Amino acid sequence: MANTYHQIYIQLIFAVQGRRSLLKREFRQDFFKVMSSMIQNLGHKSIIVNGVADHVHCFIGLNPDKTISDLVEKLKTSSNHFLKDKNWADGSFSWQKGYGAFSYSKSHVERVYQYILNQEAHHQKITFKDEYMMLLKKFEIEFKDEYLFEFLDDVPL
């Protein structure tokens, strides 16, 4: 009997609603470990989950029997509930609508892993908006500004 063989690597990016810095340093790494377990429990391979106070990067081996949109919806919902249950974020915590999904070949896995691992240092040099725009352009993804994340410089003070 024939089997299905696959190798699908996806980087997911999503942001905290209002780009508020609610993913606090004191619990962030524990939270990212929990998110990694959630990805595994949803039937995918978690390669790395990391980010900064206002957004997260998840690098996964995608199960071809499942959809990216279903994974993101369930991951956002579960992680939102987890943060609230642990009181690690205020009661109004939520993720912004939407996400970025970028595919990579096997030869890029280590480079993407290192990139995600070093998010704090990376964001000392480049803003999230610039990072996200760079990825959209690099992957030649057409977009409309009004449908992008709410970036810090777009939020009224």
Side-chain angles (χ1 to χ4, degrees), residues 29-30 43 57 62 69 74 91 94 105 107 123 132 134 149 153:
Q29 290 310 310
D30 289 335
H57 295 252
L62 184 72
S69 59
K74 289 177 179 176
S94 63
S105 66
S107 63
H123 282 293
Y132 197 71
M134 177 191 70
F149 289 124
D153 54 351

Side-chain angles (χ1 to χ4, degrees), residues 38-147:
M38 290 175 179
I39 291 166
Q40 297 282 138
N41 291 339
L42 291 168
H44 304 276
K45 178 182 179 183
S46 178
I47 299 168
I48 186 171
V49 176
N50 200 16
V52 292
D54 63 359
H55 72 278
V56 64
H57 295 252
C58 304
F59 192 36
I60 65 163
L62 184 72
N63 180 335
D65 293 333
K66 301 178 184 286
T67 66
I68 295 171
S69 59
D70 190 49
L71 165 63
V72 173
E73 178 186 353
K74 289 177 179 176
L75 183 58
K76 282 181 169 182
T77 300
S78 297
S79 61
N80 187 340
H81 291 302
F82 180 86
L83 278 173
K84 289 178 180 177
D85 290 346
K86 284 287 204 178
N87 292 317
W88 282 354
D90 72 33
S92 65
F93 178 88
S94 63
W95 297 108
Q96 283 192 41
K97 291 183 180 179
Y99 59 92
F102 306 94
S103 61
Y104 294 89
S105 66
K106 173 88 170 153
S107 63
H108 292 111
V109 168
E110 182 60 27
R111 184 172 52 99
V112 175
Y113 178 91
Q114 291 299 321
Y115 172 78
I116 293 172
L117 180 65
N118 294 304
Q119 278 294 292
E120 289 209 31
H122 177 72
H123 282 293
Q124 292 176 3
K125 300 175 198 159
I126 186 171
T127 67
F128 174 54
K129 183 176 185 177
D130 289 343
E131 172 189 50
Y132 197 71
M133 298 299 289
M134 177 191 70
L135 285 167
L136 291 172
K137 290 174 183 171
K138 175 182 172 183
F139 284 85
E140 299 178 10
I141 297 173
E142 293 183 24
F143 62 91
K144 293 184 178 180
D145 288 340
E146 63 265 28
Y147 297 115

